[in-house]
Amino acid sequence: MANTKAHGDNYINFEKGIWSWLTTVDHKRIGLMYFITVMFFFLIGGIMALLLRLELFAPNAAPNVGQILANGDVYNQVMTYHGAIMVFMVIVPGIPAILGNFFLPLQIGAKDVAFPRINLLSWYCFMAGAILAIATFFTTKIDTGWTFYTPYSIRTGTATAMMVLAAFIMGMSSILTGLNFIVTVHKLRAPGMTMHRMPLFIWSLYATAILQMLATPVLGITLLLLAVERFLGIGIFDPKLGGDPVLFQHFFWFYSHPAVYIMIIPAMGIISELITTFSKKVIFGYTAIAYSSLGIAAVSFFVWGHHMFVSGQSETTGIVFSFLTMLVGVPTAIKMFNWVATFYKGSVEFRSPMLYALGFMFLFAIGGVTGVMLATLPIDVHFHDTYFVVAHFHYVMVGGTLMALMGGYYYWFPKMFGKMYNETTARISFVFIFIGFNVTFFPQFILGAMGMPRRYFDYIPAYENLNKISTVGSWLILIGFLVGLYTIVQGLMKGEKAPMNPWGSKTLEWQTSSPPPHDNFSVEPVVTAGPYEYR
Amino acid sequence: MSTDNTVHGAHTAHVAHHFKTAEQQYSSGKEGIWLFMLTEILMFGAIFVGYAIYHNMYPAMFAEGASSLDWKMGFVNTLVLIFSSFTMAISISFIQKNEQKKAVLALATTVLCGAIFMVIKYFEYQHKFHLGLFPGKFLDVAKVGAEHANLGLYFGFYYVMTGLHGIHVLLGMGLITWCLIRTIRGDFHSQYWIVVEGVGLFWHIVDLIWIFLFPLLYLVG
């Protein structure tokens, strides 16, 4: 293009200086800015998690090692920040805002997202909300848990209002990203790129964007009402003033249940890409996988009541929600079986992104099956608020989303930075994370079944051994991520120059140089076949 | 940075570099604004659900609250907003016909109507404050002689719903003023008006929400 003479030949050196980054409307640069910020918050949230596990290493009565954190209040605060940071600042924006921003236009052969300036605005919204959220840490630290349940969140003397406003602002960022993606998918596909020729990652981002658009506004108004309730005491959620605290739970989960699919559906999209690329084989059941993303998105709006089986909602409601929740298992299983079928007669290559994909399938299967268990009304009443639930959602959120995110980073690393990473250290990192994860969270299923309640900062001696194992596991995860960080930094500094298409993938983002030029493609691609025509 | 003038020969100054044609940009913008409207409806939707639940729980209290509002002021405001929607709509049609002067007049009238709405709202709020009809815990039931102990809940809804709507009116006025300035500058013409149309859609949604708020708060008793 005409401008390339005055500028560098790729998006990274296209313009120079920090200002050119802060004012950029290039989706690739915005993706990288999200990458840096989200990784920073992941570090903070991770430190909180390690502190929690350290506190739970032994019961408080144990000599010397019993109590790490000053008291239960501090534990509650650390737990709240771990949850709020990991949910609102890491896994919700994680895949769509980083990898989605970077690869959605590339994979459909567009020059950018439909509204580049709104894309930048969404990053600033995210930063404003995140800074406000972190700022609460320096006032009165909040202790409500990330769910802000009423009436406690109304009465606790902490900076809850500030935190919910922060979440409100970050929600706007999520809405804007979703809106941008939907319009981009509808309007900016390259010639020949029909909906049914889109890579499955795009289908998953599309389903996610619908959820971001439809669910987040309800969370927004709910959090706003919570803040108003704290300031004005209008009695909408406060039973003392004639309000209904359960209404808050309905509103909250109407967003927050779809939100867990905002976290997991794009992860499934990455897995589809990884499995087909490293099996060198066309994905089995393309249409089924594509539509199952939309299926999960659709069902997700009708299952929020399963968070409320013991909240006092009617038994009939509980039973209906129980059955509706089990429906989620159907499209999810469709994806699983199709992935497994893709391996059949493929030339499977165990590169580190593929290891993460396999890790995902193993962990997500456990997370998913325990999800169906918890959807079963009578079982949930027994397991409610125990470590069984904690183990379940970590298997889904960490074992699922984070595994996919890591796999996606390694897969697209050569494209994003134009460098190759060290395969050996990436594999070592995977082994530590995978084993560490299971060591940390599998014992929590047993602890939950034994009756250990979640969110407590102390426990009876009977739970001690399993908690010790769990804490040791958290150190293994730490080692894994440190090795992963080393791999990324080493790759950035000293990695070999990446070729255009190191994995032999068929999707469009690999058909342009690494890293891509400012306008993504030097010649606009014309698509004549589906995304995975390997053989 | 629209360097690529070759594609379809349609690349003019108002088409951003990542769009191929003006039509593609127009339809993208239009879809974007409609999706944004959807989020607005969902956001207000939740608060309407809250209203419905509490109205059902405390019908007599809501009746008492509604009876202390002045429906005449609300009615005048409804007319003002409906008229402003009309002037907003014709401004776009003027721009499409390249009659910028008339469009500027129509946009200015729309902003003026928004201002009239806010002034009337201001007097309503002031009157309520004067009577001690504050939201939530600030409403002293004994002082205002209310029959229902939780009348503050009704006024909580009243102030949150009309307040959130009022913020949207102010935002809309700002956006329309921005369109007005750009129209004077000559940015919009028969080939390019999507920005005004988008702002117009926003304004219509804001009016539409008021059309629901008015009967729910003032008339249903």
Side-chain angles (χ1 to χ4, degrees), chain A residues 97-118:
Chain A
I98 301 172
L99 296 172
N101 248 328
F102 202 105
F103 289 106
L104 182 132
L106 279 163
Q107 284 199 325
I108 61 170
K111 284 183 181 171
D112 208 319
V113 291
F115 310 111
R117 274 181 296 184
I118 287 178

Side-chain angles (χ1 to χ4, degrees), chain A residues 338-358:
Chain A
N338 280 308
W339 290 330
V340 174
T342 305
F343 295 138
Y344 181 67
K345 288 191 173 172
S347 1
V348 181
E349 208 186 341
F350 293 99
R351 289 276 190 162
S352 34
M354 185 59 152
L355 292 178
Y356 278 101
L358 294 171

Side-chain angles (χ1 to χ4, degrees), chain A residues 149-151 154 236-239 243-250, chain B residues 54:
Chain A
Y149 267 20
T150 54
I154 299 168
I236 181 165
F237 299 133
D238 192 344
D244 183 1
V246 178
L247 180 66
F248 177 84
Q249 295 185 26
H250 279 293
Chain B
Y54 289 104

Side-chain angles (χ1 to χ4, degrees), chain A residues 63-362:
Chain A
N64 301 326
V65 290
Q67 205 169 347
I68 309 289
L69 302 172
N71 52 45
D73 287 340
V74 175
Y75 180 87
N76 288 344
Q77 291 158 2
V78 174
M79 179 200 78
T80 302
Y81 282 97
H82 166 66
I85 289 174
M86 287 302 200
V87 169
F88 293 117
M89 301 182 212
V90 180
I91 31 181
V92 167
I95 298 176
I98 301 172
L99 296 172
N101 248 328
F102 202 105
F103 289 106
L104 182 132
L106 279 163
Q107 284 199 325
I108 61 170
K111 284 183 181 171
D112 208 319
V113 291
F115 310 111
R117 274 181 296 184
I118 287 178
N119 201 14
L120 181 64
L121 177 67
S122 86
W123 184 76
Y124 278 102
C125 279
F126 177 71
M127 286 310 286
I131 289 168
L132 198 59
I134 297 292
T136 61
F137 197 76
F138 300 100
T139 59
T140 43
K141 302 174 182 65
I142 66 157
D143 58 352
T144 58
W146 78 277
T147 50
F148 314 116
Y149 267 20
T150 54
Y152 181 71
S153 58
I154 299 168
R155 293 174 192 163
T156 174
T158 57
T160 312
M162 201 163 146
M163 187 58 139
V164 298
L165 288 177
F168 178 86
I169 297 170
M170 285 189 276
M172 279 161 61
S173 153
S174 189
I175 290 173
L176 294 176
T177 303
L179 188 153
N180 231 329
F181 284 4
I182 293 179
V183 178
T184 310
V185 166
H186 283 170
K187 304 287 181 186
L188 293 186
R189 300 192 309 276
M193 174 65 79
T194 59
M195 290 292 269
H196 288 99
R197 282 180 185 165
M198 294 195 306
L200 288 167
F201 183 49
I202 303 298
W203 272 103
S204 72
L205 286 172
Y206 181 64
T208 308
I210 293 172
L211 291 178
Q212 287 176 302
M213 287 269 315
L214 297 184
T216 320
V218 178
L219 176 77
I221 193 70
T222 308
L223 296 179
L224 208 60
L225 284 173
L226 180 59
V228 170
E229 181 79 317
R230 279 183 69 93
F231 291 132
L232 303 177
I234 58 175
I236 181 165
F237 299 133
D238 192 344
K240 217 166 58 182
L241 301 168
D244 183 1
V246 178
L247 180 66
F248 177 84
Q249 295 185 26
H250 279 293
F251 276 173
F252 183 82
W253 289 114
F254 182 82
Y255 161 79
S256 293
H257 198 78
V260 308
Y261 300 109
I262 293 177
M263 305 171 200
I264 198 67
I265 295 176
M268 294 166 159
I270 293 179
I271 299 306
S272 302
E273 299 291 320
L274 300 183
I275 284 179
T276 178
T277 299
F278 293 100
S279 300
K280 287 286 167 291
K281 184 164 166 271
V282 63
I283 198 149
F284 190 86
Y286 170 90
T287 323
I289 296 182
Y291 283 94
S292 62
S293 290
L294 294 178
I296 295 173
V299 178
S300 75
F301 279 102
F302 305 98
V303 300
W304 78 87
H306 69 228
H307 293 272
M308 301 167 59
F309 284 151
V310 298
S311 70
Q313 71 183 5
S314 81
E315 274 173 39
T316 319
T317 319
I319 291 165
V320 170
F321 274 123
S322 178
F323 279 110
L324 284 171
T325 303
M326 289 177 197
L327 276 184
V328 180
V330 176
T332 312
I334 287 176
K335 283 179 190 289
M336 273 293 196
F337 291 132
N338 280 308
W339 290 330
V340 174
T342 305
F343 295 138
Y344 181 67
K345 288 191 173 172
S347 1
V348 181
E349 208 186 341
F350 293 99
R351 289 276 190 162
S352 34
M354 185 59 152
L355 292 178
Y356 278 101
L358 294 171
F360 173 98
M361 288 172 72
F362 182 84

